[in-house]
Amino acid sequence: EVQLEESGGGLVKPGGSLRLSCAASGFIFDIASLNWVRQAPGKGMAWIARIKGKNDGGTIDYAAPVQGRFTIWRDDSKNTLYLQMNSLKTEDTAVYYCITTLFSPNSFDAWGQGTMVAVSS
Amino acid sequence: QSALTQPASVSGSPGQSITISCTGTSSDIGSHYLVSWYQHHPGKAPKLILYEAYKRPSGVSSRFSGSKSGNAASLTIYGLQAEDEADYFCCSFARGSTPWLFGGGTKVTVL
């Protein structure tokens, strides 16, 4: 069974940092392209970062709102995806999901349940 | 790049059909068929119900159908059931700095 489980969310003050983790199982992790997306309260989903698998060179991309503040990386030996979030802003408040493509091309057929990040003073 | 546009809410009675639109631009939906749709019950993981505009993953009910015309894609739910009450959102590959754009989501209510 495919599973993605996010953790690490919580309440943090503006300017603070947080590290999210996404533990994966049930699929070949090291070749999977992995993404972080988020959903702010009352808003739609927004893509924020991607790291490709080893066969694609592990290329990394970020959305403009998080470029320079967030860092995505993966530990293939632990089947875990990470997102380091620095210089957090109130507008980063959202539920964060890790997602990937497994069987259905050009879509995301594996999602975690998400972890909530609240940035507030 | 702007998010894709969806109606905020759609409702229907059991057994009826409803259609949810997802409007983009010539830089995203208008340039390919790489549109996917998701069902999201609050508190649960979103579930893929359509990919590449109209293809259904294994196990997804045939009551879910997709189409695309120009810069817009649509999801139709036939024979609406109580369990279909959820949020639905679309996603499209985009040619730009952000590879994937999402719609704002549509809340489906079964009356």
Side-chain angles (χ1 to χ4, degrees):
Chain A
E1 181 189 5
V2 172
Q3 284 194 322
L4 294 171
E5 185 173 356
E6 304 91 343
S7 61
L11 175 63
V12 62
K13 289 181 167 51
S17 298
L18 215 52
R19 177 180 297 179
L20 305 184
S21 300
C22 173
S25 61
F27 61 96
I28 303 174
F29 186 82
D30 60 2
I31 60 173
S33 179
L34 302 165
N35 301 259
W36 287 101
V37 300
R38 67 184 180 185
Q39 185 173 31
K43 305 287 187 181
M45 293 285 177
W47 175 87
I48 57 172
R50 171 180 63 188
I51 182 167
K52 294 187 177 180
K54 67 175 187 179
N55 290 353
D56 296 306
T59 305
I60 291 173
D61 300 284
Y62 296 100
V66 307
Q67 177 82 48
R69 299 188 299 123
F70 289 13
T71 301
I72 185 174
W73 79 98
R74 60 195 297 161
D75 186 335
D76 291 342
S77 68
K78 295 182 179 179
N79 283 8
T80 301
L81 174 70
Y82 301 95
L83 185 69
Q84 177 68 39
M85 304 185 295
N86 297 331
S87 303
L88 282 161
K89 305 176 181 180
T90 55
E91 52 263 42
D92 295 319
T93 294
V95 178
Y96 286 71
Y97 299 88
C98 64
I99 63 176
T100 190
T101 302
L102 296 177
F103 309 111
S104 305
N106 304 300
S107 64
F108 302 108
D109 49 8
W111 293 68
Q113 291 200 329
T115 186
M116 179 70 201
V117 172
V119 184
S120 174
S121 54
Chain B
Q1 292 163 299
S2 300
L4 308 175
T5 301
Q6 296 182 234
S9 62
V10 173
S11 62
S13 300
Q16 287 186 331
S17 298
I18 61 169
T19 296
I20 301 169
S21 60
C22 172
T23 303
T25 69
S26 58
S27 296
D28 38 75
I29 294 178
S31 62
H32 54 66
Y33 275 79
L34 306 182
V35 180
S36 50
W37 287 92
Y38 303 83
Q39 178 191 63
H40 189 194
H41 289 101
K44 294 194 172 183
K47 175 187 176 183
L48 174 70
I49 55 174
L50 293 172
Y51 68 101
E52 293 180 348
Y54 60 88
K55 299 177 182 178
R56 279 188 305 274
S58 175
V60 172
S61 172
S62 58
R63 297 187 300 105
F64 295 97
S65 178
S67 64
K68 195 199 84 118
S69 178
N71 295 341
S74 295
L75 164 68
T76 298
I77 307 176
Y78 294 98
L80 203 59
Q81 299 179 359
E83 68 211 47
D84 299 331
E85 190 161 287
D87 293 319
Y88 293 82
F89 59 91
C90 57
C91 175
S92 171
F93 176 74
R95 303 184 189 283
S97 58
T98 299
W100 299 102
L101 293 177
F102 289 88
T106 298
K107 180 174 178 57
V108 168
T109 301
V110 181
L111 302 171

